[in-house]
């Protein structure tokens, strides 16, 4: 019998103070929930106008039809759920095209909204690829079609960096104070990354227009970094049935875990909600939190995703229930990731890791491994590779789990799961990776070619024989004996005799 705590919305925002780019599941279950608390407490100027670019037109129309009202079901476990009603999203816009045609275009409205002084913060969850950055270097990709288009028509931008640049240009023109830009995506130093993307684009445009917008942005605009954490699986028919079982028919509803964390650098010259009153940690430097979360949580998630799909599992909770998989994650976190971190004050890596394993085991969520496996090219550097580089620079490098992970990712990118079924690899670099699979017959040359993709792998890591050999050996084992046996081999040979959490 599930016990349901109902939290009905008691207030609606009176003004829109935040424009959000990326009206996905995570935004609805994380940022909007924190803002709901603020609004309920009387901070009524912090309503959100949420925007989808390129994809998610349906979500915008659904939310509009519900006047922005929807539900979030937060599961502690199967027996305990909190059902919240959210009214924080006051506007929903879409700018994009469907099948080559404009399906709906709220661009003018969005640009006006960005220019309004009432808009004091622009937040983003556009996924890693939405920033149009080279994942390894963090530099803006001028060859990205969205950036190339924005360079041609900067007043009609379509990319996230293009919208920020044009929005800020309009603010400067109107003599308005700039908005603060707050990235809430899983990227290292996400504030600095979005800042450099915006500056690079503005500089290129300045050179054409004889302007110094980039100089103004560099001086005037704040780009605090943030660490966000809450597991929010993509909504599917099963999750909607669960909502229905709680008595909620809500096409815009979201199901997630009860845990939630948000750590933000406190740099908001134009003002901000009093988030700290509702559990948000406002800090001077978010780096230790961000690095810890990316390597420990997201690094483990990616291990589960690639090894798990090849081993025939479908969801996170199923995969982590496998003892060998749980040992792999435990040892990865403690032996490989934790030693590379400067931990935030008071955080014990052992406890943090054990809590992560418990969260992964929450079987009230149906978190598909294929969702996490998406866009690996954008995720690997910050989740595994930076840590592996630190390990390899040390005296006793521990890289067995990451090497197994990279080998599993390589095999995964061929597009066949543990049951032999084919799937489409969803990744901006999928074509490049699949070409490499077609060109290289032996694992030795395939690994060399894959590690040679400089958009993902730093040259120094690709050239490290120890890393290369470990990946080839793991890939040979996956191909020869299967994923389950390859996993068992690592667990027995690398960590035999060590219990979980030791
Ligand atoms: P989602 O699939 O529900 O939404 C993705 C959003 O990104 C949509 O609004 C989509 O329009 C937008 N988007 C995708 N490609 C884009 C592009 N090229 N340019 C501009 N916008 C683009 O995914 P969800 O769950 O909302 O996650 C989004 C991001 O939030 C993640 O990539 C991650 O960085 C962050 N996040 C997600 C968590 C989760 O558990 N779902 C937890 C912590 C962070
Ligand atoms: C996941 C994350 O999809 C993924 O790649 O690793 O979105 C994860 O669910 C969140 O970061 C949890 O906070």
């Amino acid at each position: 019998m599930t016990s349901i705590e109902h939290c009905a919305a008691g207030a609606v925002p009176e003004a829109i103070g935040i424009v959000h780019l990326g009206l996905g599941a995570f935004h609805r279950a994380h940022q909007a929930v924190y803002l709901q608390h603020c609004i309920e407490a009387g901070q009524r100027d912090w309503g959100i106008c949420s925007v989808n670019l390129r994809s998610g037109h349906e979500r915008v129309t659904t939310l509009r039809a519900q006047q922005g009202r929807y539900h979030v079901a937060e599961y502690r476990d199967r027996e305990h759920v909190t059902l919240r009603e959210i009214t924080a999203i006051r506007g929903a816009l879409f700018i994009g095209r469907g099948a080559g045609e404009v399906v709906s275009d709220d661009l003018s409205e969005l640009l006006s909204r960005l220019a309004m002084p009432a808009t004091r913060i622009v937040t983003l969850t556009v996924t890693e690829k939405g920033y149009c950055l080279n994942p390894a270097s963090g530099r803006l990709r001028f060859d990205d079609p969205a950036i190339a288009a924005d360079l041609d028509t900067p007043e009609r931008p379509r990319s996230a960096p293009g919208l920020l640049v044009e929005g800020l240009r309009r603010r400067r023109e109107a003599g308005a104070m700039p908005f603060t830009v707050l990235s809430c995506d899983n990227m290292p130093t996400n504030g600095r990354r979005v800042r450099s993307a915006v500056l690079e684009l503005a500089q290129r445009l300045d050179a054409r227009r004889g302007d110094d917008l980039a100089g103004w942005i560099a001086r005037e605009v704040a780009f605090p970094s943030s660490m966000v954490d809450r597991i929010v699986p993509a909504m599917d028919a099963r999750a909607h049935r669960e909502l229905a079982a709680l008595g909620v028919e809500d096409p815009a509803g979201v199901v997630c875990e009860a845990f939630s964390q948000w750590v933000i650098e406190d740099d908001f010259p134009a003002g901000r909600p009093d988030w700290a009153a509702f559990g948000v940690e406002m800090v001077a430097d978010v780096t230790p939190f961000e690095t810890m979360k990316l390597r420990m949580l997201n690094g483990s998630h990616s291990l589960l995703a690639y090894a798990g799909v090849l081993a025939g599992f479908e969801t996170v909770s199923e995969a982590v229930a496998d003892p060998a998989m749980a040992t792999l994650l435990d040892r990865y976190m403690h032996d490989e990731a934790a030693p590379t971190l400067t931990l935030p004050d008071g955080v014990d890596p052992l406890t943090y890791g054990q809590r992560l394993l418990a969260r992964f085991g929450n079987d009230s969520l149906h978190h598909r491994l294929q969702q996490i496996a998406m866009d690996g090219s954008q995720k690997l550097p910050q989740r595994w590779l930076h840590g592996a580089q630190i390990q390899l620079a040390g005296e006793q490098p521990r890289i067995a789990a990451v090497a197994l992970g990279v080998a599993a990712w390589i095999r995964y990118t061929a597009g066949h799961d543990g049951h032999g079924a084919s799937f489409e690899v969803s990744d901006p670099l999928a074509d490049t990776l699949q070409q490499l699979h077609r060109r290289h017959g032996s694992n030795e040359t395939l690994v060399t070619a894959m590690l040679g993709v400089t958009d993902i792998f730093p040259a120094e890591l690709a050239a490290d024989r120890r890393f290369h050999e470990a990946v080839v050996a793991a890939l040979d084992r996956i191909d020869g004996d299967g994923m389950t046996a390859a996993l068992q081999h690592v667990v027995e040979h690398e960590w035999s005799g060590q219990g979980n959490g030791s």
Side-chain angles (χ1 to χ4, degrees), residues 14-37:
E14 286 160 9
I16 289 175
I18 297 179
V19 170
H20 178 77
L21 305 181
L23 173 47
F26 178 63
H27 166 64
R28 279 175 289 156
H30 188 264
Q31 181 186 340
V33 173
Y34 285 99
L35 282 162
Q36 188 67 32
H37 288 302

Side-chain angles (χ1 to χ4, degrees), residues 10 27 38 88 201 215 218 246 274 277-278 286 301 355 358 372 395 411 418-419 445 486:
H27 166 64
C38 295
L201 182 58
L246 300 176
D274 181 12
F278 302 100
V286 88
H301 252 179
R355 288 190 182 141
I372 300 167
E395 284 183 359
R411 190 43 68 223
H419 303 292
T445 62

